[in-house]
Amino acid sequence: MKVDVKELKPKKAIIQIEDIKPYFVNALRRIMISELPKLAVNEVVIYDNTSALFDEIISHRLGLVPIPTDLSLLLFKNECVCKGKGCPNCTVRYTLSKEGEGSVYSGDLLPAEKSWAIKEDKIPIVELYGDQRLILEVEAVLGRGRDHAKWQAIQAPAYRMEPIIEFDKTKLDDVKEFITKLPENLVSIKGNKLVLKDVTKLPIIESYISKENIDYITIERDPTKFLFHFETDGSFTAKDAILESVNILQKKYEELGKLLKNLK
Amino acid sequence: MTGYKCGLCKKSVKFDVKNIGMQCPYCGSKIFYKERPTIAKRIKSK
């Protein structure tokens, strides 16, 4: 297996993985969607809300705010020593108090400890007019994407197989002429293959082939080479998210292995 | 008796639920906002 990091930003990553089967990449993708734990607001205690939005809508909006998550410091509420009562080991508390004209943003949620401060601080929650006010307290706990979308840290993880674009060698002149019609620097000729400079631009060449009704160029997908890309909602960095997902996948395989060893 | 806030003069008034044709005793307005009880409300974020 070969891994090449094509792009790594705080919230986005593109990784090329070679010599691998599609089901393995898909397992990683599904772990990212449904198994990677993250913090999200689960309970809201509203003391006063004279805004235009109902309490339930505000609590729903607060639930979707991404909260920076450090999995080494937190436990699931049902696995905690407090037995689900809520303690600093499993629950992160925030308060929000705002009155008067202006918007309430996610950054107005003040944590009990500064290390839990919300980084995505410009997410609008509600707009207040006149002397309207909003006073509340929230509890954020760890959860998984399979239980609710608010606990899904990774947005749109996806993979595409690398394309193999081949052409009939006897039609080399036609292929050269066809390339002149394409946008500049899109493809280059290598033997009887066309090599894309950027794999994400494949739909462009596909549309040209379809438009020109060309039958001497064929596009196939290589099921051993993948371009895996994903974005996080801000609760993890892209690097932490993929490393943590791989850990979870590894633990699941180990658990399965242990259970199978006990088979008689 | 339920507490309401007059939409015009903002004064608190109380009316019986059975009362038909509510009108503010101070300004005569017929628009009211129901006052929020002063207790904390705990909601699950769904």
Side-chain angles (χ1 to χ4, degrees):
Chain A
M1 192 191 296
K2 275 187 204 167
V3 175
D4 182 19
V5 180
K6 294 275 179 195
E7 189 182 326
L8 185 64
K9 288 181 179 170
K11 283 171 65 182
K12 188 185 173 190
I14 301 175
I15 298 165
Q16 193 178 44
I17 312 173
E18 288 180 28
D19 302 328
I20 196 171
K21 296 282 182 193
Y23 56 75
F24 191 83
V25 187
N26 196 39
L28 184 62
R29 184 186 71 87
R30 294 188 62 143
I31 289 281
M32 282 182 155
I33 294 172
S34 61
E35 294 290 330
L36 182 65
K38 70 160 268 196
L39 267 179
V41 170
N42 193 39
E43 277 202 339
V44 183
V45 182
I46 299 188
Y47 295 107
D48 202 0
N49 171 24
T50 51
S51 73
L53 294 187
F54 296 129
D55 298 350
E56 285 77 7
I57 295 173
I58 289 172
S59 67
H60 167 69
R61 292 178 73 92
L62 289 168
L64 297 173
V65 170
I67 299 172
T69 307
D70 187 346
L71 294 176
S72 63
L73 297 176
L74 288 164
L75 291 168
F76 278 94
K77 209 172 178 181
N78 56 346
E79 294 166 7
C80 185
V81 284
C82 70
K83 292 175 183 170
K85 284 178 189 167
C87 69
N89 290 330
C90 63
T91 310
V92 181
R93 288 190 166 83
Y94 294 85
T95 53
L96 190 153
S97 177
K98 204 154 186 192
E99 188 171 359
E101 201 97 21
S103 293
V104 179
Y105 292 103
S106 54
D108 294 322
L109 282 168
L110 301 175
E113 276 181 55
K114 274 187 180 176
S115 56
W116 297 110
I118 287 164
K119 287 172 189 166
E120 301 282 328
D121 57 354
K122 282 289 171 206
I123 301 170
I125 307 293
V126 63
E127 195 148 351
L128 301 177
Y129 296 98
D131 59 350
Q132 291 178 347
R133 66 172 173 263
L134 182 65
I135 303 167
L136 51 83
E137 211 176 87
V138 301
E139 283 179 15
V141 293
L142 279 185
R144 291 191 174 99
R146 66 179 181 216
D147 298 324
H148 194 289
K150 67 183 176 183
W151 282 306
Q152 188 185 321
I154 309 293
Q155 312 303 318
Y159 58 86
R160 63 176 88 215
M161 293 175 195
E162 202 173 279
I164 304 167
I165 312 166
E166 284 181 325
F167 61 86
D168 189 351
K169 261 188 176 177
T170 56
K171 303 263 185 169
L172 186 62
D173 292 335
D174 292 335
V175 171
K176 279 180 181 169
E177 197 193 322
F178 171 67
I179 288 174
T180 58
K181 291 174 189 168
L182 296 174
E184 267 184 51
N185 293 326
L186 187 72
V187 286
S188 57
I189 299 174
K190 215 174 189 180
N192 69 329
K193 283 179 186 170
L194 291 181
V195 180
L196 270 171
K197 296 246 165 83
D198 182 0
V199 184
T200 58
K201 301 272 168 69
L202 181 69
I204 298 175
I205 196 165
E206 278 178 331
S207 65
Y208 273 89
I209 289 170
S210 156
K211 190 181 149 196
E212 305 277 330
N213 268 335
I214 289 167
D215 56 356
Y216 48 82
I217 298 177
T218 54
I219 300 176
E220 282 175 10
R221 263 84 177 172
D222 185 348
T224 61
K225 284 184 184 174
F226 298 91
L227 206 63
F228 189 82
H229 52 92
F230 64 91
E231 281 179 41
T232 77
D233 65 350
S235 44
F236 289 101
T237 61
K239 188 184 166 188
D240 288 347
I242 194 158
L243 291 178
E244 203 57 53
S245 303
V246 169
N247 271 340
I248 294 166
L249 187 60
Q250 192 180 352
K251 276 179 195 163
K252 282 195 177 285
Y253 278 128
E254 279 169 7
E255 200 180 328
L256 181 68
K258 274 181 200 168
L259 291 170
L260 291 174
K261 268 181 193 171
N262 295 335
L263 279 179
K264 286 178 184 173
Chain B
M1 297 286 267
T2 318
Y4 294 90
K5 191 178 173 185
C6 175
L8 197 67
C9 67
K10 315 283 182 199
K11 279 180 181 161
S12 290
V13 283
K14 281 194 173 177
F15 290 108
D16 198 314
V17 182
K18 292 171 190 167
N19 200 322
I20 300 165
M22 285 156 58
Q23 202 166 8
C24 176
Y26 304 102
C27 68
S29 166
K30 291 176 181 176
I31 298 167
F32 296 95
Y33 295 100
K34 196 173 178 183
E35 284 196 327
R36 192 187 172 92
T38 53
I39 49 158
K41 189 174 165 188
R42 188 172 278 268
I43 309 169
K44 280 255 177 198
S45 171
K46 289 178 188 167

